[in-house]
Amino acid sequence: MGSSIVQKILQEHVVEGKFETGEEVGLRIDQTLTQDATGTMAFLQFEAIGIDRVRTKRSVSYIDHNMLQTSFENPDDHRYLQSTASRYGVYFSRPGNGICHQVHLERFAVPGGTLIGSDSHTPTAGGMGMIAIGAGGLDVAVAMGGGAYFLKIPKVMKVNLTGRLQPWVTAKDIILEMLRRLTVKGGVGWIVEYGGPGVETLSVPERATITNMGAELGATTSIFPSDEQTRSFLEAQDRGNDWRELKPDPDAQYDEHIEIDLSQLEPMIAQPSMPDNVVSVREIEGLEVHQVCVGSCTNSPYMDLARVAAILKGKIIHPQVSMTLSPGSKQVFEMISRTGELSDLIAAGVRILESGCGPCIGMGQAPPTGAVTLRTFNRNFAGRTGTSPDKSYLCSPETAAAAALNGVVIDPRKLGDYPIVEPPKKFIINDNMVVTPPVDGRDIEVLRGPNIKPVPTKDPMPDQLEGELLLKVGDDITTDHIMPAGAKVLPLRSNIPAISEHVFVRVDETFPTRAKAAGGGFIVGGLNYGQGSSREHAALAPMYLGIKAVIVKSFARIHFANLVNFGIIPFEFADPADYDKLNQGDRLSIAGVLEGLDKGGVFLKNESTGASIRIVTNLSPRQIKIMKAGGMLAYTKGAAGS
Ligand code: MIC
Ligand code: SF4
């Protein structure tokens, strides 16, 4: 039986375990990436593990999220990260160089390699034919130290693309169509492999838009073949030597097939407040728009911005609309500047922001009360814009530009001829904003500011857990609900005691106070609990508040791994209907926890009602040991000491 691309790359990288769907294997990781909002914790943990120098082929530390220096916290974090990068042998992408995923695609991603990154959109590099996976900072710290990354081998879904996109229909519309069909839960437990004759019509940056937003499907990662498109992109980046062909065997087997005829697609848009709430743009035409934001790791490569510039050239943004644009990288910024496209954007009234995540993570540009904001981003979770409630829509740069000119949602196909923008034969290449680490960094002092606090740890797991059910939530709870980001909270990412004051405040502002007063307790949730980002703060801060276990109908992948890493037991209801037998405020107890972990299940007693409920775990033998030790750091240190 032949192999898929996914199987080929994974098999080349397995260092531990048996290669079978559903089995946990350890993978050798070639590259890692971290960004500043998760990177401080990753490097604090790397330091705690006590390894002298990274052991990957390449590790890159990016500054792109916390770009508002309203006080000393963010700049201190930047300085800490720059010094740890030099100290431990990591390339450092300075603030201003761009969004980690865009820069990594341009300058570092390599077909056939493995990458893990402390950011859920790391699969962007799947557009280059890489197995690129988002993970918690601690998992990335372990990989930087040369440790394997453990993963249950997911099933592989083949998406067969045929036909060719029509004018004004874009890669963003392909992934929005996938979200419409599969929902934000549809990719959980899957890797999505794109193939078919339609693939060759898509450039690497277009492919990267699709693999980027595979994160919103809940997929472990998504990947495209490495072909002539990949070769020409790499050659235009002066990296032709990094090219290697990658295609599935003709008789490759997949666990599921999906067909998409590109020529049948039309412009799509995700409505508030979930990326899968997708309709065609036609269906909501005429909706008044007040803000348009172009950028983010989904839609900020050169071709996207050049097309927006061509659409806006010689015109002016509608008076009711405020439009911003954040170039994905310094390379992109420099390109639109040299070609004159930047001037066209400025002349049209676009507010140019620096290269970084910006409004996508709520670092400025919160929309006005009740306003409709159209964003080319990947997430529109409630409150993520910084305004609550908000009305945030996700669409292509073309649809965004059309709305910016007209003040209402309009099918971009009505704008007339699609602007022809030729892909560059050569990008402007200048890596002068990437600091190469010295060969030996042992003399380099790591610089810490007062906001950088040690990573809290936990005692070994006790055999009996009891406490209050502090919060009961529903389905699709995101890590933005659990641990909000934005301009007020991001500066606290390296200070767990301070950031823990914000846990769940968007759902219930009394949560942190109640959790502390009760000495911790339990959380109950529905399906796909913890979807969205990789931020381990959504596990670490609840751990700090004394959360002992989270009991839900099902988990999202990265958050599940983060809960394990920080010693909070991720339980699932054996019978999802038992969710109804628990109410906020009930007293709960679980006896025989340690044996229960070994056996994969235990009974939860609801002391308030007398109900006894079967709850189960889905942990590998390795994860059981981590849970018992009180989390990954304690486990790693214990393993090193024994
Ligand atoms: C996001 O898009 O939510 C983030 C901010 O990039 C996160 C990482 C973080 O919370 O720092 C992600 O996607 O993992
Ligand atoms: Fe940055 Fe937004 Fe991409 Fe997250 S999704 S990495 S915040 S641009």
Side-chain angles (χ1 to χ4, degrees):
M1 186 182 87
S3 299
S4 61
I5 299 172
V6 172
Q7 285 162 341
K8 288 184 186 186
I9 304 178
L10 289 180
Q11 263 162 349
E12 272 178 26
H13 287 84
V14 169
V15 286
E16 234 182 287
K18 193 152 129 236
F19 190 85
E20 253 172 43
T21 307
E23 291 293 316
E24 190 180 72
V25 293
L27 295 175
R28 177 167 46 79
I29 296 301
D30 300 323
Q31 299 187 348
T32 64
L33 72 77
T34 47
Q35 41 88 342
D36 50 331
T38 53
T40 46
M41 274 301 140
F43 278 95
L44 285 167
Q45 291 165 147
F46 182 80
E47 290 188 289
I49 296 170
I51 289 174
D52 216 43
R53 193 173 174 85
V54 291
R55 296 183 182 155
T56 48
K57 286 187 189 155
R58 189 181 300 269
S59 288
V60 191
S61 173
Y62 292 91
I63 307 284
D64 54 2
H65 282 64
N66 296 323
M67 304 288 273
L68 292 182
Q69 274 75 66
T70 50
S71 180
F72 67 94
E73 292 91 348
N74 287 346
D76 277 8
D77 283 355
H78 296 186
R79 198 175 52 180
Y80 168 73
L81 289 170
Q82 181 154 8
S83 60
T84 47
S86 293
R87 168 69 186 82
Y88 296 111
V90 174
Y91 289 78
F92 180 70
S93 173
R94 294 163 60 191
N97 197 41
I99 306 174
C100 53
H101 309 303
Q102 175 65 25
V103 177
H104 211 83
L105 188 76
E106 293 166 358
R107 307 302 306 141
F108 303 115
V110 176
T114 51
L115 163 73
I116 67 165
S118 61
D119 192 284
S120 63
H121 291 104
T122 303
T124 311
M128 180 72 86
M130 228 182 163
I131 289 283
I133 302 177
L138 184 45
D139 284 330
V140 178
V142 170
M144 285 196 290
Y149 173 62
F150 288 88
L151 175 77
K152 280 195 182 137
I153 296 289
K155 291 174 282 183
V156 185
M157 179 188 301
K158 162 95 182 272
V159 179
N160 194 46
L161 302 178
T162 54
R164 174 181 278 277
L165 290 170
Q166 297 297 303
W168 298 101
V169 186
T170 69
K172 182 65 159 275
D173 303 308
I174 304 177
I175 188 65
L176 287 174
E177 170 64 10
M178 285 284 285
L179 277 153
R180 189 187 69 78
R181 290 197 201 176
L182 297 181
T183 81
V184 291
K185 304 186 230 346
V188 178
W190 292 89
I191 293 184
V192 184
E193 182 173 314
Y194 290 85
V199 160
E200 65 197 44
T201 68
L202 299 172
S203 66
V204 166
E206 287 175 305
R207 296 172 183 187
T209 293
I210 297 169
T211 56
N212 170 282
M213 246 183 126
E216 277 52 64
L217 293 168
T220 303
T221 189
S222 308
I223 192 165
F224 273 82
S226 171
D227 55 9
E228 287 307 314
Q229 286 276 8
T230 324
R231 190 212 292 260
S232 60
F233 179 79
L234 280 169
E235 280 171 357
Q237 291 285 353
D238 241 354
R239 297 205 289 129
N241 288 342
D242 284 340
W243 186 73
R244 145 185 180 195
E245 186 178 35
L246 269 178
K247 54 182 182 188
D249 292 333
D251 55 343
Q253 302 280 318
Y254 296 89
D255 301 291
E256 177 140 6
H257 286 263
I258 288 191
E259 292 288 331
I260 298 186
D261 179 353
L262 300 179
S263 52
Q264 296 298 314
L265 294 181
E266 60 175 306
M268 309 294 277
I269 190 161
Q271 306 182 93
S273 292
M274 236 357 116
D276 61 2
N277 191 9
V278 175
V279 293
S280 70
V281 171
R282 248 180 332 116
E283 286 172 67
I284 60 161
E285 265 193 315
L287 177 74
E288 263 189 50
V289 175
H290 310 94
Q291 187 192 49
V292 169
C293 300
V294 173
S296 92
C297 55
T298 318
N299 276 120
S300 60
Y302 169 71
M303 297 292 282
D304 282 1
L305 305 195
R307 250 182 242 115
V308 170
I311 296 168
L312 301 183
K313 188 172 177 158
K315 308 199 171 82
I316 182 76
I317 306 302
H318 190 279
Q320 182 191 281
V321 176
S322 165
M323 177 169 179
T324 69
L325 180 139
S326 332
S329 66
K330 177 170 98 68
Q331 182 183 79
V332 170
F333 210 167
E334 217 178 326
M335 299 273 301
I336 57 169
S337 150
R338 293 259 179 99
T339 52
E341 282 143 341
L342 181 59
S343 308
D344 297 335
L345 292 164
I346 295 171
V350 180
R351 300 167 61 186
I352 308 294
L353 307 179
E354 66 181 316
S355 294
C357 300
C360 178
I361 191 57
M363 295 306 265
Q365 311 310 323
T369 309
V372 165
T373 176
L374 252 59
R375 300 175 162 220
T376 67
F377 307 165
N378 46 39
R379 291 186 171 144
N380 58 349
F381 301 145
R384 189 171 157 103
T385 58
T387 300
S388 201
D390 54 9
K391 294 184 189 160
S392 174
Y393 291 72
L394 308 173
C395 62
S396 70
E398 285 80 344
T399 302
L405 287 177
N406 290 280
V408 290
V409 172
I410 169 174
D411 188 329
R413 290 174 294 186
K414 293 193 175 149
L415 296 191
D417 289 341
Y418 191 50
I420 310 276
V421 179
E422 289 302 331
K425 293 257 173 310
K426 274 270 177 269
F427 290 94
I428 297 173
I429 293 149
N430 187 347
D431 291 326
N432 61 356
M433 288 286 277
V434 177
V435 181
T436 304
V439 179
D440 183 350
R442 270 175 297 188
D443 290 341
I444 288 172
E445 187 195 350
V446 171
L447 303 169
R448 288 164 226 277
N451 186 48
I452 299 181
K453 299 278 188 262
V455 189
T457 49
K458 199 170 176 281
D459 292 334
M461 184 63 65
D463 197 36
Q464 165 98 16
L465 296 176
E466 51 194 28
E468 186 183 327
L469 197 179
L470 290 164
L471 190 69
K472 184 175 177 186
V473 289
D475 291 348
D476 291 328
I477 286 296
T478 72
T479 53
D480 280 74
H481 289 108
I482 305 170
M483 185 77 261
K488 279 195 207 118
V489 186
L490 275 191
L492 306 175
R493 281 289 180 95
S494 23
N495 184 341
I496 299 300
I499 208 170
S500 69
E501 300 290 334
H502 298 270
V503 173
F504 269 124
V505 288
R506 283 209 191 126
V507 177
D508 174 352
E509 60 183 18
T510 67
F511 181 81
T513 327
R514 288 194 297 108
K516 273 196 274 185
F522 299 93
I523 294 168
V524 165
L527 293 167
N528 200 23
Y529 180 86
Q531 68 158 324
S533 83
S534 69
R535 65 190 71 144
E536 57 194 348
H537 303 76
L540 197 41
M543 175 199 102
Y544 182 80
L545 293 176
I547 300 305
K548 304 164 205 281
V550 179
I551 307 147
V552 302
K553 292 183 187 169
S554 71
F555 285 99
R557 181 187 63 87
I558 308 179
H559 188 60
F560 179 90
N562 285 338
L563 288 172
V564 173
N565 281 350
F566 294 104
I568 298 178
I569 312 185
F571 282 117
E572 288 177 0
F573 292 101
D575 176 1
D578 285 342
Y579 170 86
D580 297 329
K581 293 187 184 154
L582 296 172
N583 297 304
Q584 195 162 309
D586 287 351
R587 292 230 37 104
L588 310 181
S589 70
I590 309 171
V593 172
L594 298 176
E595 201 187 331
L597 285 173
D598 288 329
K599 292 194 167 153
V602 70
F603 280 93
L604 163 80
K605 180 95 192 281
N606 186 339
E607 305 284 353
S608 303
T609 63
S612 177
I613 294 168
R614 174 102 181 129
I615 51 177
V616 294
T617 52
N618 188 8
L619 300 167
S620 69
R622 185 189 62 95
Q623 289 174 320
I624 293 171
K625 285 191 208 141
I626 294 173
M627 290 290 352
K628 287 186 180 171
M632 177 78 140
L633 269 184
Y635 170 74
T636 312
K637 282 189 179 161
S642 61

